[in-house]
């Protein structure tokens, strides 16, 4: 079996509003990996290194099972991102665009989703205990089996 060669590469994350480079991450990735995998690796690098991801353009990022505990993702564009089984405990996501995102089984305990766009998001089995969902758009979101105990749903 032939192994895939992984290289250290610089991957840039832009600001969703200005288009300017916001984060320049050092990731290890196969050159044939999709841009969504590379965005996911760059986000993991950014969180680990304390980089600013507020208002970042993270559309379609593959963050399956990622540790984003306490991450500051205010206003980030996570449209269609895969956050299945991700750890987002205490994460700051006010105003984030999570439209159509896969958050199935994600741990969002105590997360701040104030005014977030969760339209059509898959939140099946997600733990939203104590999360702030005030003003969040939950139209067509799938909340089957989600834990909403103590969540602010105003």
């Amino acid at each position: 079996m032939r192994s895939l060669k992984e290289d250290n590469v610089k991957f840039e994350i832009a600001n969703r509003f200005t288009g300017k480079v916001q984060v320049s991450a050092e990731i290890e990735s196969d050159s044939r990996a999709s841009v969504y995998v590379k965005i996911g690796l760059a986000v993991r690098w950014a969180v680990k290194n304390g980089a600013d991801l507020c208002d970042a353009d993270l559309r379609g990022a593959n963050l399956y099972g990622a540790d984003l505990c306490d991450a500051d993702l205010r206003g980030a564009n996570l449209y269609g991102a895969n956050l299945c089984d991700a750890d987002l405990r205490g994460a700051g996501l006010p105003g984030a665009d999570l439209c159509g995102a896969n958050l199935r089984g994600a741990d969002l305990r105590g997360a701040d989703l104030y005014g977030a766009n969760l339209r059509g998001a898959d939140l099946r089995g997600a733990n939203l205990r104590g999360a702030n969902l005030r003003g969040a758009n939950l139209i067509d979101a799938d909340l089957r089996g989600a834990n909403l105990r103590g969540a602010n749903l105003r």
Side-chain angles (χ1 to χ4, degrees):
M1 182 194 286
R2 192 174 71 179
S3 66
L4 298 176
K5 184 174 185 261
E6 293 200 358
D7 297 311
N8 285 335
V9 295
K10 186 181 276 190
F11 189 86
E12 297 176 336
I13 296 174
N15 181 287
R16 72 185 280 199
F17 299 112
T18 66
K20 291 183 181 177
V21 174
Q22 187 166 323
V23 175
S24 189
E26 298 289 330
I27 63 171
E28 194 172 285
S29 173
D30 174 0
S31 60
R32 295 175 286 181
S34 76
V35 69
Y36 305 114
V37 168
K38 290 177 182 176
I39 293 171
L41 292 170
V43 169
R44 286 174 171 91
W45 181 93
V47 169
K48 181 180 172 186
N49 290 283
D52 178 15
L53 290 170
C54 295
D55 296 328
D57 186 357
L58 308 173
R59 281 174 292 171
N62 185 352
L63 292 160
Y64 179 90
D67 181 358
L68 303 173
C69 192
D70 297 319
D72 187 355
L73 297 162
R74 280 176 286 147
N77 184 0
L78 288 152
Y79 181 94
N82 181 6
L83 290 150
C84 183
D85 293 328
D87 185 352
L88 289 151
R89 285 174 295 149
L93 292 152
D97 186 356
L98 291 149
C99 184
N102 181 359
L103 290 149
R104 192 172 187 169
D107 191 347
L108 291 146
R109 281 178 288 169
D112 185 2
L113 292 150
Y114 178 84
N117 183 7
L118 291 155
R119 184 180 193 116
D122 185 352
L123 289 153
R124 286 178 285 174
N127 189 350
L128 291 151
R129 186 179 186 128
N132 181 11
L133 291 158
R134 186 178 180 120
N137 180 352
L138 293 165
I139 294 173
D140 295 328
D142 192 340
L143 291 158
R144 285 178 285 175
N147 180 354
L148 293 164
R149 180 173 285 182
N152 182 351
L153 295 165
R154 286 182 136 175

